[in-house]
Amino acid sequence: MADEVQIHPMEKADLPEILELLREVLGDGVLAKRPETWRWKHEENPFGPSDGLVARAGGNLVGLRVFLRWRWRRAGTIVPAVRAVDTVTHPAWRGRGIFRRLTLGMLDRVRKEGIPFVFNTPNEVSRKGYLKMGWQDVAKVPILVKPLRPMATILRLLKRVDRKGQRGELEAEGVEAMLRDPGLDPFLAELWQGEERLHTPRTRDYLSWRYARAPGIDYRAVWDFEGGSGAAVILRLRDRRSLRELTVVELLVSEGAGEKQATLLLRDVIRTARGDCLTAHAPKKSREWQLLRRAGFIRLPVAGPYFTVRTLADTADDGLEPNQWNSWMLSIGDLELF
Ligand SMILES: CC(C)(COP(=O)(O)OP(=O)(O)OC[C@H]1O[C@@H](n2cnc3c(N)ncnc32)[C@H](O)[C@@H]1OP(=O)(O)O)[C@@H](O)C(=O)NCCC(=O)NCCS
C-alpha cells in the first residue's frame, strides 16, 4: 500500500479535487465544500494561510489533512497553535492508514515550526484515531441553555411540528454594524489584558473575519461601548434537529462597568429572541458564567463537543498546560465547526 499512495504538500492546484472529495464524502449541503468557504477559512484567515497534506493514488486525490492556523493569548503573550480541521479519506481507501500518515506528517511539519500544540473538536469517528496518535481529551464542553418558551417548545415537539429550516430571530444587527462603532477599538484594547487562561485575542481583524465575513453563516451582535468599557454579545441563528436555537458565540465583557452593560444586553437578547432556546458556554464560575446564570441560563445535563489537544513540545516549563481544562477561556465561537 505504501508504494501506491504518495503524500504531497497541499497546493492551490489541488483545490478543485479537494472540493470534489469533500462534496463526495460530506454531501452537498455542507458549507465546507463551497469554494468561497474554503477561501475564507484557509486563505483569508488573519492567523495565516492553512497548511495541509494530500494523498494521491494513481494520480487521484484520495486523502486530505488540513491544519488551520490559530493564535491564542495568555497574560499578554501570543501562543501560536494549529487547529486540526478538514480531514477526509476517500471511502474506497479507508482503513489503510491514510488519515494516520497524513496527520503524523502534519505533526512533523508544525513541530519543526515550533508550534507547541494542536487542538480540535473531532467527531466520534476521527476522535478514536486522534487518541491513538497522542491526542488527549481535555473536556466535553459544558453547555448552558436558556429555554425561551418551554411550554410552546414541548407542545410543538409532542405534536411533531417540524420547524426544520426555520431559524430563530432576534432584534440585532449584523456584526459589520458593531465593527463600525468607534467605541469598538478602545473596548477591545482593554479586553482581557491580564487574562491568564488561553483565549483568542479579540482584535478587529479577527472579529471581522470570523463573524462578519464567514460565508453562509448568520451572526448578529448587540453591544454597548463607552470609553473603553462595555459589553458585546454575538449570536448565531440556527436550526438544530427542528429546534430553533440562538447560540451565544461570544460574550465579551470589560472589567468593572461592563458587567452591568452585559446584564442589560443579555436581558434584551432574551426579550427579543424568537425561537426555542438560547445556548452558551463560558468557563465554569467565571464572571461570564455567572452573568449567564444570573440571566437564567442553566447547565444542560448533556455536554457539547469533545475538546482535544495534542501537545508537541514540553510546554510545562513556562506554565503552559493546554491539556488542562482550567487553562482555557473558550467561547462557542472558538469551538464551533466551520
Ligand atoms: C475519519 C477518516 C478520515 C479516517 O480515515 P482513514 O484513512 O480510514 O483512517 P486510518 O486508516 O488512517 O485510521 C487511523 C486510525 O484511526 C482509527 N479509525 C479510523 N476510522 C475509524 C472508525 N470508523 N472507527 C474507529 N476507529 C477508526 C483506526 O483504528 C486507525 O488506528 P489503527 O491504525 O491503530 O488501526 C475517514 O473515516 C473519513 O474520511 N471519514 C469521513 C469524514 C470525517 O468524518 N472526517 C473527520 C472530521 S472532518
PDB file of all heavy atoms in Angstrom, residues 3 7 17 34 53-54 73 76 92 130 141 145 160 186 191 193 196 209 228 234 253 258 264 292 299 317 331:
ATOM      1  N   ASP A   3       3.523   2.014  -1.380  1.00  0.00           N
ATOM      2  CA  ASP A   3       4.007   2.496  -2.675  1.00  0.00           C
ATOM      3  C   ASP A   3       2.883   3.072  -3.533  1.00  0.00           C
ATOM      4  O   ASP A   3       3.116   3.921  -4.383  1.00  0.00           O
ATOM      5  CB  ASP A   3       4.674   1.354  -3.445  1.00  0.00           C
ATOM      6  CG  ASP A   3       5.851   0.811  -2.650  1.00  0.00           C
ATOM      7  OD1 ASP A   3       6.486   1.618  -1.936  1.00  0.00           O
ATOM      8  OD2 ASP A   3       6.091  -0.388  -2.728  1.00  0.00           O
ATOM      9  N   ILE A   7       2.284  10.925  -0.643  1.00  0.00           N
ATOM     10  CA  ILE A   7       1.867  12.065   0.174  1.00  0.00           C
ATOM     11  C   ILE A   7       2.574  13.319  -0.359  1.00  0.00           C
ATOM     12  O   ILE A   7       3.788  13.299  -0.557  1.00  0.00           O
ATOM     13  CB  ILE A   7       2.266  11.840   1.655  1.00  0.00           C
ATOM     14  CG1 ILE A   7       1.782  10.484   2.188  1.00  0.00           C
ATOM     15  CG2 ILE A   7       1.797  12.990   2.539  1.00  0.00           C
ATOM     16  CD1 ILE A   7       0.324  10.333   2.411  1.00  0.00           C
ATOM     17  N   GLU A  17     -10.030  19.293  -6.918  1.00  0.00           N
ATOM     18  CA  GLU A  17     -10.183  17.890  -6.492  1.00  0.00           C
ATOM     19  C   GLU A  17     -10.511  17.784  -4.994  1.00  0.00           C
ATOM     20  O   GLU A  17     -11.246  16.893  -4.574  1.00  0.00           O
ATOM     21  CB  GLU A  17      -8.886  17.123  -6.763  1.00  0.00           C
ATOM     22  CG  GLU A  17      -8.680  16.743  -8.202  1.00  0.00           C
ATOM     23  CD  GLU A  17      -7.306  16.148  -8.382  1.00  0.00           C
ATOM     24  OE1 GLU A  17      -6.334  16.934  -8.457  1.00  0.00           O
ATOM     25  OE2 GLU A  17      -7.188  14.916  -8.409  1.00  0.00           O
ATOM     26  N   ARG A  34     -17.873  24.468  -0.413  1.00  0.00           N
ATOM     27  CA  ARG A  34     -18.035  25.633  -1.292  1.00  0.00           C
ATOM     28  C   ARG A  34     -16.704  26.366  -1.445  1.00  0.00           C
ATOM     29  O   ARG A  34     -16.006  26.603  -0.457  1.00  0.00           O
ATOM     30  CB  ARG A  34     -19.042  26.623  -0.685  1.00  0.00           C
ATOM     31  CG  ARG A  34     -20.441  26.074  -0.599  1.00  0.00           C
ATOM     32  CD  ARG A  34     -21.358  27.262  -0.411  1.00  0.00           C
ATOM     33  NE  ARG A  34     -22.622  26.854   0.142  1.00  0.00           N
ATOM     34  CZ  ARG A  34     -23.448  27.674   0.787  1.00  0.00           C
ATOM     35  NH1 ARG A  34     -23.103  28.949   0.970  1.00  0.00           N
ATOM     36  NH2 ARG A  34     -24.588  27.252   1.239  1.00  0.00           N
ATOM     37  N   LEU A  53      -1.639  18.397   3.890  1.00  0.00           N
ATOM     38  CA  LEU A  53      -1.045  17.337   3.077  1.00  0.00           C
ATOM     39  C   LEU A  53      -2.176  16.623   2.335  1.00  0.00           C
ATOM     40  O   LEU A  53      -3.298  16.533   2.859  1.00  0.00           O
ATOM     41  CB  LEU A  53      -0.308  16.325   3.968  1.00  0.00           C
ATOM     42  CG  LEU A  53       1.007  16.769   4.609  1.00  0.00           C
ATOM     43  CD1 LEU A  53       1.501  15.694   5.590  1.00  0.00           C
ATOM     44  CD2 LEU A  53       2.083  17.041   3.548  1.00  0.00           C
ATOM     45  N   VAL A  54      -1.861  16.136   1.134  1.00  0.00           N
ATOM     46  CA  VAL A  54      -2.846  15.336   0.409  1.00  0.00           C
ATOM     47  C   VAL A  54      -2.227  13.988   0.085  1.00  0.00           C
ATOM     48  O   VAL A  54      -1.002  13.850   0.010  1.00  0.00           O
ATOM     49  CB  VAL A  54      -3.309  16.029  -0.901  1.00  0.00           C
ATOM     50  CG1 VAL A  54      -4.056  17.321  -0.612  1.00  0.00           C
ATOM     51  CG2 VAL A  54      -2.143  16.277  -1.864  1.00  0.00           C
ATOM     52  N   ARG A  73      -3.828  33.768  23.289  1.00  0.00           N
ATOM     53  CA  ARG A  73      -3.090  34.735  24.106  1.00  0.00           C
ATOM     54  C   ARG A  73      -3.227  34.318  25.564  1.00  0.00           C
ATOM     55  O   ARG A  73      -4.257  33.767  25.971  1.00  0.00           O
ATOM     56  CB  ARG A  73      -3.670  36.143  23.905  1.00  0.00           C
ATOM     57  CG  ARG A  73      -2.832  37.228  24.557  1.00  0.00           C
ATOM     58  CD  ARG A  73      -3.351  38.611  24.195  1.00  0.00           C
ATOM     59  NE  ARG A  73      -4.689  38.835  24.747  1.00  0.00           N
ATOM     60  CZ  ARG A  73      -5.362  39.965  24.585  1.00  0.00           C
ATOM     61  NH1 ARG A  73      -4.863  40.959  23.882  1.00  0.00           N
ATOM     62  NH2 ARG A  73      -6.560  40.109  25.102  1.00  0.00           N
ATOM     63  N   GLY A  76      -1.061  38.304  28.079  1.00  0.00           N
ATOM     64  CA  GLY A  76      -0.467  39.249  27.132  1.00  0.00           C
ATOM     65  C   GLY A  76       0.497  38.631  26.125  1.00  0.00           C
ATOM     66  O   GLY A  76       0.957  39.317  25.220  1.00  0.00           O
ATOM     67  N   ALA A  92     -13.224   4.436  -0.647  1.00  0.00           N
ATOM     68  CA  ALA A  92     -12.584   3.218  -1.155  1.00  0.00           C
ATOM     69  C   ALA A  92     -11.181   3.021  -0.581  1.00  0.00           C
ATOM     70  O   ALA A  92     -10.583   1.953  -0.741  1.00  0.00           O
ATOM     71  CB  ALA A  92     -12.505   3.284  -2.681  1.00  0.00           C
ATOM     72  N   TYR A 130      -7.464   9.990  16.536  1.00  0.00           N
ATOM     73  CA  TYR A 130      -6.614  11.016  17.170  1.00  0.00           C
ATOM     74  C   TYR A 130      -6.054  10.519  18.507  1.00  0.00           C
ATOM     75  O   TYR A 130      -4.883  10.727  18.819  1.00  0.00           O
ATOM     76  CB  TYR A 130      -7.410  12.299  17.407  1.00  0.00           C
ATOM     77  CG  TYR A 130      -7.663  13.127  16.158  1.00  0.00           C
ATOM     78  CD1 TYR A 130      -8.961  13.406  15.737  1.00  0.00           C
ATOM     79  CD2 TYR A 130      -6.604  13.634  15.413  1.00  0.00           C
ATOM     80  CE1 TYR A 130      -9.200  14.167  14.602  1.00  0.00           C
ATOM     81  CE2 TYR A 130      -6.836  14.396  14.274  1.00  0.00           C
ATOM     82  CZ  TYR A 130      -8.133  14.663  13.871  1.00  0.00           C
ATOM     83  OH  TYR A 130      -8.352  15.414  12.754  1.00  0.00           O
ATOM     84  N   VAL A 141     -17.267  19.804  26.416  1.00  0.00           N
ATOM     85  CA  VAL A 141     -17.539  21.211  26.724  1.00  0.00           C
ATOM     86  C   VAL A 141     -18.936  21.389  27.339  1.00  0.00           C
ATOM     87  O   VAL A 141     -19.932  21.014  26.709  1.00  0.00           O
ATOM     88  CB  VAL A 141     -17.415  22.068  25.443  1.00  0.00           C
ATOM     89  CG1 VAL A 141     -17.711  23.523  25.727  1.00  0.00           C
ATOM     90  CG2 VAL A 141     -16.026  21.892  24.825  1.00  0.00           C
ATOM     91  N   VAL A 145     -28.021  26.526  28.813  1.00  0.00           N
ATOM     92  CA  VAL A 145     -29.200  26.760  27.973  1.00  0.00           C
ATOM     93  C   VAL A 145     -30.209  27.634  28.690  1.00  0.00           C
ATOM     94  O   VAL A 145     -30.344  27.565  29.914  1.00  0.00           O
ATOM     95  CB  VAL A 145     -29.821  25.408  27.528  1.00  0.00           C
ATOM     96  CG1 VAL A 145     -30.336  24.620  28.706  1.00  0.00           C
ATOM     97  CG2 VAL A 145     -30.935  25.610  26.516  1.00  0.00           C
ATOM     98  N   ARG A 160     -44.968  16.975  17.082  1.00  0.00           N
ATOM     99  CA  ARG A 160     -44.026  16.711  15.985  1.00  0.00           C
ATOM    100  C   ARG A 160     -44.160  17.717  14.843  1.00  0.00           C
ATOM    101  O   ARG A 160     -44.104  17.364  13.674  1.00  0.00           O
ATOM    102  CB  ARG A 160     -44.194  15.295  15.428  1.00  0.00           C
ATOM    103  CG  ARG A 160     -43.887  14.244  16.437  1.00  0.00           C
ATOM    104  CD  ARG A 160     -44.162  12.871  15.855  1.00  0.00           C
ATOM    105  NE  ARG A 160     -44.118  11.861  16.900  1.00  0.00           N
ATOM    106  CZ  ARG A 160     -43.020  11.247  17.295  1.00  0.00           C
ATOM    107  NH1 ARG A 160     -41.875  11.530  16.755  1.00  0.00           N
ATOM    108  NH2 ARG A 160     -43.062  10.347  18.252  1.00  0.00           N
ATOM    109  N   PRO A 186     -11.303  51.055  21.445  1.00  0.00           N
ATOM    110  CA  PRO A 186     -10.918  51.218  22.859  1.00  0.00           C
ATOM    111  C   PRO A 186     -11.412  50.061  23.746  1.00  0.00           C
ATOM    112  O   PRO A 186     -10.708  49.632  24.660  1.00  0.00           O
ATOM    113  CB  PRO A 186     -11.601  52.532  23.279  1.00  0.00           C
ATOM    114  CG  PRO A 186     -12.100  53.185  22.040  1.00  0.00           C
ATOM    115  CD  PRO A 186     -12.044  52.202  20.914  1.00  0.00           C
ATOM    116  N   LEU A 191      -9.809  44.734  26.676  1.00  0.00           N
ATOM    117  CA  LEU A 191     -10.461  43.458  26.990  1.00  0.00           C
ATOM    118  C   LEU A 191      -9.459  42.357  27.356  1.00  0.00           C
ATOM    119  O   LEU A 191      -8.568  42.043  26.571  1.00  0.00           O
ATOM    120  CB  LEU A 191     -11.303  43.018  25.771  1.00  0.00           C
ATOM    121  CG  LEU A 191     -12.213  41.824  25.968  1.00  0.00           C
ATOM    122  CD1 LEU A 191     -13.356  42.136  26.923  1.00  0.00           C
ATOM    123  CD2 LEU A 191     -12.774  41.355  24.618  1.00  0.00           C
ATOM    124  N   GLN A 193      -6.880  41.957  29.175  1.00  0.00           N
ATOM    125  CA  GLN A 193      -5.445  42.212  29.048  1.00  0.00           C
ATOM    126  C   GLN A 193      -4.614  41.297  29.934  1.00  0.00           C
ATOM    127  O   GLN A 193      -3.605  40.775  29.517  1.00  0.00           O
ATOM    128  CB  GLN A 193      -5.141  43.686  29.336  1.00  0.00           C
ATOM    129  CG  GLN A 193      -5.355  44.591  28.136  1.00  0.00           C
ATOM    130  CD  GLN A 193      -4.667  44.068  26.884  1.00  0.00           C
ATOM    131  OE1 GLN A 193      -3.521  43.631  26.915  1.00  0.00           O
ATOM    132  NE2 GLN A 193      -5.372  44.096  25.761  1.00  0.00           N
ATOM    133  N   GLU A 196      -5.101  35.122  32.236  1.00  0.00           N
ATOM    134  CA  GLU A 196      -4.044  34.112  32.207  1.00  0.00           C
ATOM    135  C   GLU A 196      -4.460  32.817  31.537  1.00  0.00           C
ATOM    136  O   GLU A 196      -3.620  31.964  31.253  1.00  0.00           O
ATOM    137  CB  GLU A 196      -3.554  33.846  33.628  1.00  0.00           C
ATOM    138  CG  GLU A 196      -2.834  35.067  34.146  1.00  0.00           C
ATOM    139  CD  GLU A 196      -2.042  34.819  35.398  1.00  0.00           C
ATOM    140  OE1 GLU A 196      -2.129  33.705  35.944  1.00  0.00           O
ATOM    141  OE2 GLU A 196      -1.358  35.758  35.818  1.00  0.00           O
ATOM    142  N   TRP A 209     -13.190  38.855  10.300  1.00  0.00           N
ATOM    143  CA  TRP A 209     -13.061  37.604   9.535  1.00  0.00           C
ATOM    144  C   TRP A 209     -14.039  36.548  10.046  1.00  0.00           C
ATOM    145  O   TRP A 209     -14.791  35.949   9.286  1.00  0.00           O
ATOM    146  CB  TRP A 209     -11.625  37.072   9.671  1.00  0.00           C
ATOM    147  CG  TRP A 209     -11.440  35.686   9.141  1.00  0.00           C
ATOM    148  CD1 TRP A 209     -11.435  35.298   7.838  1.00  0.00           C
ATOM    149  CD2 TRP A 209     -11.242  34.489   9.923  1.00  0.00           C
ATOM    150  NE1 TRP A 209     -11.246  33.935   7.750  1.00  0.00           N
ATOM    151  CE2 TRP A 209     -11.129  33.416   9.010  1.00  0.00           C
ATOM    152  CE3 TRP A 209     -11.156  34.227  11.296  1.00  0.00           C
ATOM    153  CZ2 TRP A 209     -10.931  32.094   9.430  1.00  0.00           C
ATOM    154  CZ3 TRP A 209     -10.946  32.910  11.713  1.00  0.00           C
ATOM    155  CH2 TRP A 209     -10.830  31.866  10.792  1.00  0.00           C
ATOM    156  N   GLY A 228     -14.006  52.751  26.504  1.00  0.00           N
ATOM    157  CA  GLY A 228     -13.140  51.607  26.824  1.00  0.00           C
ATOM    158  C   GLY A 228     -13.842  50.529  27.623  1.00  0.00           C
ATOM    159  O   GLY A 228     -13.366  49.404  27.697  1.00  0.00           O
ATOM    160  N   ILE A 234     -22.405  38.281  20.695  1.00  0.00           N
ATOM    161  CA  ILE A 234     -22.554  37.873  19.297  1.00  0.00           C
ATOM    162  C   ILE A 234     -23.289  36.533  19.288  1.00  0.00           C
ATOM    163  O   ILE A 234     -22.997  35.639  20.095  1.00  0.00           O
ATOM    164  CB  ILE A 234     -21.193  37.755  18.581  1.00  0.00           C
ATOM    165  CG1 ILE A 234     -20.432  39.091  18.698  1.00  0.00           C
ATOM    166  CG2 ILE A 234     -21.376  37.375  17.111  1.00  0.00           C
ATOM    167  CD1 ILE A 234     -19.056  39.104  18.046  1.00  0.00           C
ATOM    168  N   VAL A 253     -16.978  41.007  27.884  1.00  0.00           N
ATOM    169  CA  VAL A 253     -17.332  41.905  28.978  1.00  0.00           C
ATOM    170  C   VAL A 253     -16.075  42.566  29.525  1.00  0.00           C
ATOM    171  O   VAL A 253     -15.126  41.874  29.908  1.00  0.00           O
ATOM    172  CB  VAL A 253     -18.002  41.111  30.137  1.00  0.00           C
ATOM    173  CG1 VAL A 253     -18.591  42.061  31.169  1.00  0.00           C
ATOM    174  CG2 VAL A 253     -19.067  40.172  29.625  1.00  0.00           C
ATOM    175  N   GLY A 258     -18.575  46.930  32.715  1.00  0.00           N
ATOM    176  CA  GLY A 258     -19.024  46.020  31.664  1.00  0.00           C
ATOM    177  C   GLY A 258     -20.086  45.035  32.137  1.00  0.00           C
ATOM    178  O   GLY A 258     -20.949  44.633  31.369  1.00  0.00           O
ATOM    179  N   LEU A 264     -27.675  43.997  30.950  1.00  0.00           N
ATOM    180  CA  LEU A 264     -28.750  44.637  30.182  1.00  0.00           C
ATOM    181  C   LEU A 264     -28.840  44.064  28.765  1.00  0.00           C
ATOM    182  O   LEU A 264     -29.935  43.834  28.249  1.00  0.00           O
ATOM    183  CB  LEU A 264     -28.537  46.162  30.130  1.00  0.00           C
ATOM    184  CG  LEU A 264     -28.636  46.860  31.495  1.00  0.00           C
ATOM    185  CD1 LEU A 264     -28.246  48.330  31.386  1.00  0.00           C
ATOM    186  CD2 LEU A 264     -30.044  46.721  32.084  1.00  0.00           C
ATOM    187  N   LEU A 292     -24.284  34.715  32.842  1.00  0.00           N
ATOM    188  CA  LEU A 292     -25.256  33.877  32.122  1.00  0.00           C
ATOM    189  C   LEU A 292     -26.203  33.192  33.107  1.00  0.00           C
ATOM    190  O   LEU A 292     -27.415  33.137  32.887  1.00  0.00           O
ATOM    191  CB  LEU A 292     -24.525  32.826  31.274  1.00  0.00           C
ATOM    192  CG  LEU A 292     -23.774  33.390  30.056  1.00  0.00           C
ATOM    193  CD1 LEU A 292     -22.731  32.410  29.539  1.00  0.00           C
ATOM    194  CD2 LEU A 292     -24.754  33.753  28.927  1.00  0.00           C
ATOM    195  N   ARG A 299     -27.323  24.788  33.320  1.00  0.00           N
ATOM    196  CA  ARG A 299     -26.385  23.871  32.673  1.00  0.00           C
ATOM    197  C   ARG A 299     -27.137  22.667  32.103  1.00  0.00           C
ATOM    198  O   ARG A 299     -27.926  22.037  32.807  1.00  0.00           O
ATOM    199  CB  ARG A 299     -25.349  23.413  33.689  1.00  0.00           C
ATOM    200  CG  ARG A 299     -24.347  22.569  33.025  1.00  0.00           C
ATOM    201  CD  ARG A 299     -23.111  22.380  33.833  1.00  0.00           C
ATOM    202  NE  ARG A 299     -22.326  21.368  33.125  1.00  0.00           N
ATOM    203  CZ  ARG A 299     -21.220  20.856  33.583  1.00  0.00           C
ATOM    204  NH1 ARG A 299     -20.749  21.269  34.727  1.00  0.00           N
ATOM    205  NH2 ARG A 299     -20.573  19.942  32.902  1.00  0.00           N
ATOM    206  N   ASP A 317       7.206  23.889  31.328  1.00  0.00           N
ATOM    207  CA  ASP A 317       8.207  24.796  31.899  1.00  0.00           C
ATOM    208  C   ASP A 317       7.730  26.234  32.041  1.00  0.00           C
ATOM    209  O   ASP A 317       7.969  26.887  33.036  1.00  0.00           O
ATOM    210  CB  ASP A 317       9.455  24.832  31.005  1.00  0.00           C
ATOM    211  CG  ASP A 317      10.338  23.649  31.277  1.00  0.00           C
ATOM    212  OD1 ASP A 317       9.958  22.871  32.178  1.00  0.00           O
ATOM    213  OD2 ASP A 317      11.367  23.504  30.593  1.00  0.00           O
ATOM    214  N   SER A 331     -14.886  30.315  23.978  1.00  0.00           N
ATOM    215  CA  SER A 331     -16.271  30.665  23.671  1.00  0.00           C
ATOM    216  C   SER A 331     -16.771  29.645  22.647  1.00  0.00           C
ATOM    217  O   SER A 331     -15.967  28.913  22.048  1.00  0.00           O
ATOM    218  CB  SER A 331     -16.330  32.063  23.048  1.00  0.00           C
ATOM    219  OG  SER A 331     -15.738  32.033  21.756  1.00  0.00           O
TER     220      SER A 331
END
